[in-house]
Amino acid sequence: MPTDGLKTSIPRLLFATFRRDFSIALSYRLAFLLRLLSTVFQVAVFFFISKLMGMAANPLLENAGGRYFDYVLIGLAFQRLFSLSLTGYAGAVGEAQRTGTLEAQAILPVSMPLLITGANLWPTLYASLETVIYLLLGVLLGASLAGANVVAAVLIALLASLAISGLGFMGAAIILLYKRGNAVAWIVEATTALVAGVYFPPEILPPPLQSLSLALPQTYALAGLRSALLQSATIDQILPTLAILAGFAIVLLPLGIGAIHLAYRKAQEKGSLAQY
Amino acid sequence: MSAAILTEDLYKTYPGQPPLQALHPLSLRIQTGEIVVVLGPNGAGKTTLFKILATLVQPTGGEAWLAGLPLRESIAVRRRIGMVSEPDRSFFWRLNARQNLQFFASGYGLRPGDDVRRINELLELLELTELAGKPVGQLSSGQRGRLALARALLHRPPILLLDEPTRSLDPTAATDFLTLLRRYLAETPGASVMLSTHRLGAVAPFCQRVLILRQGRLCADGAPDELLRSNNLPVTDSAADNLAQIYEALVGREAVHAH
């Protein structure tokens, strides 16, 4: 039988999905440009806010050398990347449902989590580039990244993205099943912005919210990234952060993948895969 | 002869208030190489049957095997089927025809080089070569229909499931589609096809067997001549007229005229 010799190669499929989404993104050139501009504006806004706050060292910003601009720059630069790990998978499923391509892809001889993972590759690479752009803009505006330990920062970002992807898969499962209302992502994203240390240190929050921040991988990731990029922390020094993030990933990833399998099965029972 | 598609008491009830029994227990055997046309009015359960066989919908009960594989081995089953359903809404419209086929070819596991050759072959067979660089959004419905057939044939599946592939096509485009399908089948002995359509005239010349579904039940199954005789209908020289007679007698005059 002609089909017997065929076996889908996972790296080739992931690359094909990446190439597909990159080509689609290229066809929306204006959106490309506008998103880049939004990066510039966001950095500029926080630069002037930090000027307003004054240059005096703030003890709560210790891991940013006391400078608010340096502190918030790391938060902004990585928040978009983490946010994509959280909401990108659900977004990809929703888009495929709306455009009608989900069923056409579901008939391919590959698993649903693999298709969903592939669909977030290009957005993740793009968000990573944005992270670099944020950091470069920050340096141009005076952020102090001279002694940054880039390898340590990349390790933290990778592990954090994996851990957060577990939550992102759960959000995708909800969209697969209920079509709308990515509640997990909304709640976690809003909570992250408030408590994880994106815009201000969690230490200024009331104790219950500080406790909540400890339940989010983003909190550890952002603290570790500030140590690596602003305080030149070595790999040894960030090992505890890496261990915590690995722990989150080990728990959340299987849960997220399981949630997608379960939701896909339920959608097959309801016959609702093509609905949106 | 081995069965391409075999079902035993396969049925589907969609959950809801009240639950909807879309397909009543259905047992059928489609032989390897057989070309079967599924007829029935809208809501007869045709799409549910196709989607179950394509592993997109979970049956409530019963069993089914495709190319000898049980449905629960869904990944292996999908390697052996090519499906066309809703061709208009199943492509990445910003990508061109070739880019779309390349993506799906990777999904089916075609090797680099083989994928390009196979895509070129299919584009030529389905008269799409000139349109390969055009974004799918700029293709006509008829062209998208043919592109959907090209996608279904990428991995040379032994079983084709074509669920109303001509639904959104004008009569000329529908006839073109079915003519090209017929050409493919002539070149591919052993391919089994299950096809639903309302274009009786275009499908009649190569229809070997008819299944008629009504309200989720199989109400007729046989070769066109057999069905004519068993319903005391005259056998004419025109395959299209014969099929129209069967449809009119077993599904209803209104349904024939409606389509």
Side-chain angles (χ1 to χ4, degrees):
Chain A
M1 204 181 294
T3 50
D4 279 353
L6 298 181
K7 190 172 187 306
T8 306
S9 147
I10 292 175
R12 276 201 69 219
L13 176 62
L14 292 177
F15 177 69
T17 315
F18 174 85
R19 188 174 55 187
R20 175 198 77 190
D21 295 333
F22 175 64
S23 303
I24 292 172
L26 270 188
S27 74
Y28 292 101
R29 290 186 183 87
L30 183 63
F32 233 47
L33 187 67
L34 290 177
R35 212 171 129 170
L36 190 67
L37 272 178
S38 79
T39 308
V40 176
F41 280 110
Q42 205 178 11
V43 173
V45 165
F46 280 94
F47 173 70
F48 289 112
I49 288 175
S50 66
K51 278 189 88 166
L52 180 70
M53 289 169 70
M55 304 303 281
N58 185 328
L60 282 171
L61 303 175
E62 193 183 337
N63 65 357
R67 288 161 48 88
Y68 179 67
F69 182 61
D70 291 12
Y71 182 92
V72 80
L73 177 69
I74 304 299
L76 293 174
F78 288 91
Q79 167 65 358
R80 205 174 265 194
L81 180 64
F82 295 159
S83 173
L84 200 77
S85 297
L86 189 62
T87 60
Y89 303 101
V93 171
E95 172 86 0
Q97 281 172 333
R98 282 188 298 279
T99 56
T101 54
L102 185 64
E103 224 177 48
Q105 293 178 78
I107 210 167
L108 289 171
V110 292
S111 73
M112 187 51 71
L114 183 64
L115 285 171
I116 294 175
T117 302
N120 209 26
L121 284 180
W122 158 246
T124 301
L125 181 79
Y126 185 64
S128 304
L129 290 175
E130 283 182 321
T131 298
V132 174
I133 292 170
Y134 269 112
L135 296 176
L136 290 176
L137 285 172
V139 170
L140 282 177
L141 292 172
S144 169
L145 295 176
N149 184 344
V150 176
V151 175
V154 169
L155 280 175
I156 293 171
L158 272 175
L159 266 180
S161 293
L162 278 178
I164 300 164
S165 289
L167 295 169
F169 283 147
M170 290 179 210
I174 288 173
I175 294 295
L176 206 50
L177 196 54
Y178 300 109
K179 318 302 169 192
R180 298 279 166 94
N182 186 2
V184 171
W186 290 340
I187 291 167
V188 178
E189 196 170 26
T191 310
T192 302
L194 181 67
V195 305
V198 177
Y199 303 104
F200 48 81
E203 289 77 11
I204 66 171
L205 291 164
L209 290 179
Q210 284 190 42
S211 305
L212 182 59
S213 76
L214 299 178
L216 293 171
Q218 289 91 327
T219 307
Y220 303 95
L222 289 172
L225 285 164
R226 289 190 176 104
S227 300
L229 291 173
L230 302 175
Q231 296 182 306
S232 313
T234 61
I235 299 281
D236 281 350
Q237 286 169 318
I238 60 151
L239 270 182
T241 302
L242 293 177
I244 290 169
L245 291 173
F248 271 112
I250 287 166
V251 173
L252 294 176
L253 271 180
L255 281 177
I257 291 169
I260 289 179
H261 279 301
L262 189 67
Y264 181 51
R265 173 92 182 175
K266 287 282 173 200
Q268 283 178 304
E269 281 171 19
K270 287 166 71 178
S272 64
L273 207 55
Q275 296 167 7
Y276 61 97
Chain B
M1 197 183 278
S2 61
I5 300 173
L6 183 64
T7 73
E8 278 179 12
D9 294 326
L10 189 72
Y11 70 97
K12 177 66 187 175
T13 305
Y14 289 112
Q17 291 297 336
L20 172 69
Q21 181 135 23
L23 194 64
H24 290 265
L26 171 74
S27 297
L28 63 90
R29 180 186 183 93
I30 294 175
Q31 304 289 18
T32 299
E34 215 174 1
I35 298 169
V36 176
V37 174
V38 183
L39 301 178
N42 293 334
K46 302 188 297 290
T47 295
T48 295
L49 173 60
F50 277 90
K51 288 192 173 179
I52 290 174
L53 296 177
T55 75
L56 294 171
V57 165
Q58 189 76 26
T60 308
E63 298 275 352
W65 293 262
L66 281 94
L69 295 162
L71 276 183
R72 66 178 170 277
E73 291 183 28
S74 58
I75 301 281
V77 166
R78 287 181 213 155
R79 281 197 187 287
R80 285 157 178 81
I81 58 170
M83 169 96 166
V84 176
S85 173
E86 298 205 34
D88 264 354
R89 284 193 70 242
S90 63
F91 287 104
F92 301 96
W93 279 36
R94 307 285 293 198
L95 301 183
N96 64 39
R98 184 181 292 281
Q99 288 171 317
N100 267 281
L101 291 179
Q102 272 169 341
F103 167 70
F104 286 101
S106 301
Y108 282 117
L110 271 72
R111 292 179 191 91
D114 289 350
D115 58 352
V116 176
R117 273 190 292 280
R118 181 63 177 155
I119 288 168
N120 287 339
E121 203 175 289
L122 289 169
L123 288 172
E124 187 161 344
L125 175 79
L126 297 168
E127 298 173 0
L128 289 165
T129 305
E130 311 258 299
L131 303 166
K134 222 174 168 183
V136 168
Q138 290 175 21
L139 299 180
S140 68
S141 290
Q143 291 159 348
R144 280 197 286 271
R146 281 184 274 146
L147 187 63
L149 182 58
R151 178 177 59 196
L153 299 176
L154 275 169
H155 53 305
R156 296 185 171 85
I159 300 169
L160 281 179
L161 302 171
L162 311 177
D163 181 21
E164 295 200 34
T166 56
R167 185 184 320 185
S168 56
L169 309 189
D170 62 43
T172 311
T175 305
D176 287 349
F177 178 94
L178 293 168
T179 304
L180 291 167
L181 172 65
R182 201 175 163 188
R183 188 192 296 171
Y184 172 78
L185 293 174
E187 291 171 7
T188 319
S192 312
V193 182
M194 199 166 113
L195 161 73
S196 72
T197 183
H198 294 292
R199 309 288 183 183
L200 303 184
V203 83
F206 60 105
C207 165
Q208 299 170 343
R209 181 175 160 196
V210 178
L211 300 177
I212 295 184
L213 285 175
R214 215 164 44 193
Q215 294 180 328
R217 293 177 201 277
L218 182 67
C219 61
D221 177 5
D225 286 5
E226 284 170 23
L227 291 178
L228 287 167
R229 284 193 202 95
S230 62
N231 287 282
N232 298 318
L233 296 166
V235 180
T236 73
D237 290 338
S238 160
D241 288 349
N242 289 341
L243 212 52
Q245 280 194 82
I246 293 168
Y247 196 85
E248 194 170 323
L250 297 175
V251 178
R253 182 180 294 272
E254 286 151 22
V256 173
H257 292 304
H259 302 294

